[in-house]
């Protein structure tokens, strides 16, 4: 850019001179032009350009050049033949700074109306020097700056990418070893990468907890299945004794049926929970009268409650309705009432209450039973979890998991409040 703008400046100067002398020639002819050239050289003290006037057949009529410029005039003649506007010929300026460089003469040519050729040229030495100096300064500044920028940039990017590298390393180690306990180092720079690392760690925490949950769930299933399967095997083995009578065989078959029913219930319930949790459970939503549903559950459990001398009371507004899957909701309530009766000693009370609350309906099952210890409350919704005090009672440890999964599949939730020795309350919050 610098070079071309300097060149344009020089060429403009030569061209204006060329036009000026062409005008002079046309006004006063060759003699007038010669006079003018001589006057100019005299006036300037030192002629700073070359001027050549040649006849149409390229014979030099006049040539004027500073004495210190050594060049071959033949070359000027030669360029005159080429009919080019601009040309360059080598020149040696003995007055220059002694760097022995051969400079260039930049020559512009103009064919006048009578075919006479006028050539004006100037040395490019000043321009070349300027460009050379400029290049030296440019290189002297830009190269170190560039090097500095490169080193600084590499250093900064190295530092900036360090947390990303930690992230990649951690990921690589997790992928390679399957070890979910590895964590990304959080540098503490409080920037986006730091936040990403923290988020990544929380994600790993969640995945670890989930996988741990799945593992223990699987262990529990295997454990829970082993007992009925061993019992089944024992019963079958006994029945296969050679002296077993018909009645013994019947009893054995009955036992087998009971055990397989238990296994089947367990597997079906687990599948229901999975379906509800993953959203694959098909719900046939309809308007359900809560009062009728509660009555239905109470009726189902009236004998069991009577047997255990537990009084069941209800308090539900007659017209209270919600949109839900009737059978699933019945199942949920049945599980809650079943637990309430199971974990309440004889003579206790179970109460079912439903109230509208803003845009939801809360159905609460309250008992005066054994209650749930605070440290157990977070575990009761885990699959196959059974409280220590409940081992003597029948059950699979799946009832509350199903209650929670179905409540959530209905966009609702279940809440527990309890006091050990005084009783518990399970509140089902469902959309109206
Ligand atoms: P289970 O088949 O053992 O009843 P659940 O999933 O229904 O399984 O309940 C899990 C555990 O929560 C029970 O083992 C029991 O310890 C506790 N629990 C549930 N409901 C009650 C309740 N109403 N009162 C006291 N403890 C309860």
């Amino acid at each position: 850019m610098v070079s071309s703008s300097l060149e344009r400046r020089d060429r403009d100067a030569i061209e204006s001179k060329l036009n000026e002398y062409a005008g002079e020639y046309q006004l006063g002819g060759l003699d007038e032009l010669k006079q003018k050239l001589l006057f100019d050289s005299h006036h300037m003290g030192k002629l700073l350009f070359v001027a050549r006037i040649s006849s149409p057949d390229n014979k030099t009529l006049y040539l004027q050049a500073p004495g210190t410029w050594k060049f071959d005039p033949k070359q000027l003649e030669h360029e005159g033949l080429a009919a080019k506007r601009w040309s360059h010929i080598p020149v040696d300026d003995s007055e220059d700074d002694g760097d022995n460089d051969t400079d260039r003469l930049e020559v512009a040519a103009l064919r006048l109306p009578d075919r006479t050729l006028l050539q004006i040229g100037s040395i490019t030495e000043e321009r070349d020097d300027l460009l050379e100096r400029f290049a030296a300064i440019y290189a002297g500044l830009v190269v170190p700056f560039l090097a500095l920028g490169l080193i600084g940039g590499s250093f900064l990017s190295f530092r900036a990418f360090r947390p990303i590298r930690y992230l990649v390393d951690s990921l690589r180690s997790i992928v390679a070893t399957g070890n979910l306990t590895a964590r990304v180092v959080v540098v503490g720079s409080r920037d986006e990468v730091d936040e990403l690392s923290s988020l990544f760690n929380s994600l790993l925490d969640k995945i670890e907890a989930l996988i741990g949950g799945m593992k223990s769930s699987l262990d529990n299933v295997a454990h829970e299945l082993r007992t009925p399967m061993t019992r089944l095997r024992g019963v079958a083995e006994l029945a296969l004794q050679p002296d077993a009578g018909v009645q013994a065989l019947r009893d054995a078959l009955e036992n087998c049926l009971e055990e397989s029913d238990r296994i089947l219930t367990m597997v079906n319930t687990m599948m229901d929970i999975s379906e509800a949790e993953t959203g694959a459970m098909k719900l046939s939503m309809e308007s359900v009268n809560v009062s009728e549903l509660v009555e239905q559950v109470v009726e189902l459990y009236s004998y069991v409650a009577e047997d255990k001398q537990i009084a069941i009371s209800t308090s539900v507004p007659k017209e209270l309705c919600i949109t839900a899957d009737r059978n699933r909701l019945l199942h949920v309530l049945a599980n809650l009432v079943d637990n309430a009766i199971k974990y309440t000693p004889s003579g206790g009370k179970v109460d079912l209450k439903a109230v509208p609350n803003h845009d939801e309906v809360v159905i609460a099952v309250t008992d005066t039973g054994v209650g749930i210890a605070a440290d157990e409350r977070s575990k009761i919704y885990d699959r196959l979890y059974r409280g220590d005090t409940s081992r003597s009672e029948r059950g699979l440890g799946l009832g509350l998991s199903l209650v929670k999964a179905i409540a959530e599949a209905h966009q609702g939730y279940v809440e527990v409040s309890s006091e050990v020795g005084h009783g518990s309350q399970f509140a089902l919050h469902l959309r109206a």
Side-chain angles (χ1 to χ4, degrees), residues 141-157:
L141 285 177
V142 166
V143 170
F145 268 115
L146 218 71
L148 210 74
L150 217 76
I151 294 166
S154 317
F155 177 69
L156 282 180
S157 67

Side-chain angles (χ1 to χ4, degrees), residues 339 342-343 367 372 380 385-387 390 395-397 399-400 424 426:
N339 277 350
K342 239 180 0 183
Y343 301 115
D367 62 54
I372 307 164
I380 53 174
Y385 175 80
R386 305 208 68 208
S390 51
L396 297 168
L400 286 181
S424 318
F426 283 87

Side-chain angles (χ1 to χ4, degrees), residues 275-292:
E275 276 184 12
E277 279 179 351
T278 54
M281 178 178 266
K282 283 202 177 75
L283 299 173
S284 48
M285 303 296 268
E286 56 183 311
S287 178
V288 181
N289 184 298
V290 182
S291 162
E292 282 173 15

Side-chain angles (χ1 to χ4, degrees), residues 401-432:
S401 313
L402 189 68
V403 168
K404 182 171 180 270
I406 292 182
E408 282 169 7
H410 278 81
Q411 323 286 305
Y413 62 99
V414 61
E415 230 176 19
V416 63
S417 52
S418 180
E419 205 179 321
V420 177
H422 284 88
S424 318
Q425 183 183 68
F426 283 87
L428 203 59
H429 294 252
L430 296 169
R431 282 193 188 171

Side-chain angles (χ1 to χ4, degrees), residues 163-185:
I164 306 254
R165 274 196 303 281
Y166 286 143
L167 204 78
V168 171
D169 286 349
S170 313
L171 264 176
R172 201 171 279 139
S173 102
I174 292 167
V175 171
T177 60
N179 173 20
L180 279 175
T181 53
R183 289 292 177 273
V184 184
V185 180

Side-chain angles (χ1 to χ4, degrees), residues 304-350:
V304 189
E306 209 176 303
D307 229 30
K308 225 178 150 184
Q309 290 163 358
I310 287 174
I312 303 185
S313 59
T314 61
S315 131
V316 183
K318 276 266 168 293
E319 302 306 321
L320 188 61
C321 286
I322 55 167
T323 309
D325 182 316
R326 180 189 294 275
N327 286 332
R328 300 282 181 197
L329 195 58
L330 186 75
H331 205 152
V332 165
L333 284 182
N335 270 340
L336 292 177
V337 173
D338 185 60
N339 277 350
I341 296 173
K342 239 180 0 183
Y343 301 115
T344 301
S346 285
K349 282 184 205 151
V350 171

Side-chain angles (χ1 to χ4, degrees), residues 16 102 122 136 140 173 207 223 327 345 371 388:
S16 85
T102 308
S122 180
S173 102
I207 293 175
H223 187 258
N327 286 332
D388 287 337

